[in-house]
Amino acid sequence: MNDSLGRLEDLPADYLLELKARNTLPLWPSLRAVLPYGRPSRSTRPAHWRYRDIRPQLLRAGELTPIEKAERRVLVLCNPGLGLESMRATATIYVGLQLILPGETAPNHRHTPSAVRFVVEGEGGFTVVDGEKLPMGRGDLILTPPGLWHEHGHEGRGPVIWLDALDLPLVYGIEASYAIEGRPQAVDKPIGWGGARFRHGGVVPYRSLDAPREPYPLLRFPWQDVQRALGELAAVTPRDEAVQLAYVNPETGRECLATLGFSALQLRPGEELRLPRRSASAVLHVVEGSGTALVDGTTQRFETADTLAVPTHADVLLANASGTASTYLFVVDDAPLQRKLGIYEVLSSSAR
Ligand code: GTQ
């Protein structure tokens, strides 16, 4: 390995000024920084956001800022290693906790970034996506694919809070992020429209075989279905294997969105699970239960509704704190993006 590349200081000052005047830079002093040997350099830290600490601040936002002054009343979970202003949980993943109070509406808009909601607490919330009204129950995953109109409302009592995950850092980073505001949508599909046609594993509407593929046939994935499916998988999965299910587009069997991937992971009672080291970054959200996460040597004790950041190439060891109940995690990662770029890797889970 050549560790003796020339440094900036090795070059004459007048030469550097000439380069600067021409908007140019020598590569070699920075080559190792942008192409480090063996593994990427990462600023993302194994961060932990405790719901118990953030929830009161979110409710306070509900008192301080009327929805009209916020449009989206969100506290963004910012990875301290990436700078709080950059609004990133990992290099590619934005996550926030959004609060909506009874009777409020978060107005209709659409934008280039992809978004999903994962419901944390409360009853009576809903999102309208592309003319379909999607009820929000705890643990439900709702997709807001790029370019589709979406607005939120709340017909129940008490606060409704959900986790937003967006590929905003990515789309903003490539200078392609923008939104369009719209008038309230006309709901033009019956309740349960996507689910009735596409939610049942292995069967789809017969006529869809002749029609062009719908890019986003299913927008809502109820938690009770996912939890039941995990339970069935757990019963046939050896103790040392992960009980993990990917949310997919039922027409293609592939990831729901182009950039971000979603999965649900069950830690059985007493289970300790080492995740394979992967090139993708991830955000883990605790649906239910408690435990510890050892991420690149940093130990976090997590509880229900907490959220954790996992950098690219990280070592992850998860342990369920309970010997009698399962712990459930919702996982967002950027593996779909990395697969499309041809750079996705599952590395060995042994220490480096
Ligand atoms: O609910 O549409 O957290 O547009 C950030 C941007 C939520 C939303 C966010 C958004 C939304």
Side-chain angles (χ1 to χ4, degrees):
M1 171 189 314
N2 183 351
D3 273 332
S4 53
L5 295 177
R7 300 166 303 171
L8 265 189
E9 308 86 272
D10 301 336
L11 295 166
D14 71 302
Y15 178 65
L16 292 175
L17 285 174
E18 296 292 355
L19 292 185
K20 195 172 176 190
R22 288 162 182 77
N23 293 323
T24 55
L25 189 79
L27 171 62
W28 56 97
S30 308
L31 181 60
R32 291 284 182 266
V34 294
L35 282 174
Y37 282 124
R39 66 172 237 195
S41 62
R42 304 156 306 161
S43 298
T44 306
R45 289 195 210 141
H48 179 195
W49 295 270
R50 285 185 181 80
Y51 191 62
R52 206 188 338 156
D53 297 341
I54 296 170
R55 185 181 185 275
Q57 304 303 331
L58 186 57
L59 293 178
R60 196 161 171 220
E63 294 161 13
L64 293 171
T65 306
I67 194 74
E68 297 74 28
K69 290 284 177 195
E71 277 184 30
R72 302 296 192 261
R73 195 190 287 113
V74 178
L75 294 182
V76 182
L77 310 189
C78 303
N79 192 295
L82 297 170
L84 299 184
E85 323 70 40
S86 79
M87 298 203 292
R88 294 182 290 173
T90 75
T92 52
I93 306 172
Y94 161 108
V95 287
L97 285 166
Q98 181 162 171
L99 167 70
I100 190 160
L101 295 168
E104 290 183 340
T105 49
N108 191 33
H109 72 179
R110 59 196 183 106
H111 42 67
T112 50
S114 297
V116 301
R117 333 279 158 202
F118 190 86
V119 183
V120 181
E121 74 168 75
E123 300 289 329
F126 66 90
T127 293
V128 182
V129 181
D130 197 25
E132 182 178 357
K133 185 173 176 178
L134 304 159
M136 299 174 108
R138 205 171 88 78
D140 294 351
L141 174 68
I142 289 172
L143 307 185
T144 311
L148 297 195
W149 294 110
H150 56 281
E151 61 197 288
H152 317 301
H154 185 356
E155 300 166 320
R157 299 148 68 104
V160 164
I161 298 174
W162 63 79
L163 190 80
D164 287 314
L166 283 82
D167 60 6
L168 184 63
L170 174 74
V171 180
Y172 183 78
I174 63 169
E175 298 188 340
S177 178
Y178 74 101
I180 297 173
E181 59 183 342
R183 289 207 291 268
Q185 294 171 71
V187 174
D188 60 3
K189 300 178 182 79
I191 285 274
W193 165 247
R197 296 179 308 142
F198 286 104
R199 201 166 98 205
H200 300 286
V203 285
V204 295
Y206 185 69
R207 285 181 52 190
S208 73
L209 298 178
D210 294 325
R213 286 268 177 270
E214 291 184 36
Y216 309 107
L218 186 59
L219 296 171
R220 174 172 177 261
F221 299 74
W223 175 247
Q224 58 175 39
D225 289 1
V226 177
Q227 191 174 32
R228 192 183 317 116
L230 284 170
E232 289 181 20
L233 180 62
V236 297
T237 303
R239 280 304 282 192
D240 54 351
E241 273 179 38
V243 179
Q244 187 170 16
L245 289 171
Y247 294 81
V248 296
N249 176 327
E251 284 219 289
T252 63
R254 302 300 305 168
E255 304 107 327
C256 312
L257 297 176
T259 49
L260 300 184
F262 314 101
S263 60
L265 182 65
Q266 178 176 357
L267 297 173
R268 289 162 285 190
E271 183 166 354
E272 192 179 85
L273 181 70
R274 182 173 290 285
L275 300 183
R277 206 157 62 81
R278 305 192 312 158
S279 57
S281 72
V283 167
L284 310 180
H285 175 75
V286 186
V287 186
E288 193 181 314
S290 60
T292 54
L294 179 64
V295 181
D296 274 350
T298 305
T299 304
Q300 326 268 13
R301 293 192 54 80
F302 61 76
E303 294 172 6
T304 298
D306 287 2
T307 303
L308 304 155
V310 176
T312 57
H313 292 248
D315 279 309
V316 183
L317 182 65
L318 301 171
N320 186 354
S322 173
T324 54
S326 285
T327 286
Y328 297 92
L329 303 176
F330 170 65
V331 183
V332 181
D333 64 37
D334 60 3
L337 168 72
Q338 291 202 353
R339 289 190 188 102
K340 288 182 185 68
L341 296 177
I343 62 169
Y344 179 71
E345 293 177 274
V346 180
L347 306 138
S348 80
S349 54
S350 61
R352 285 183 289 276

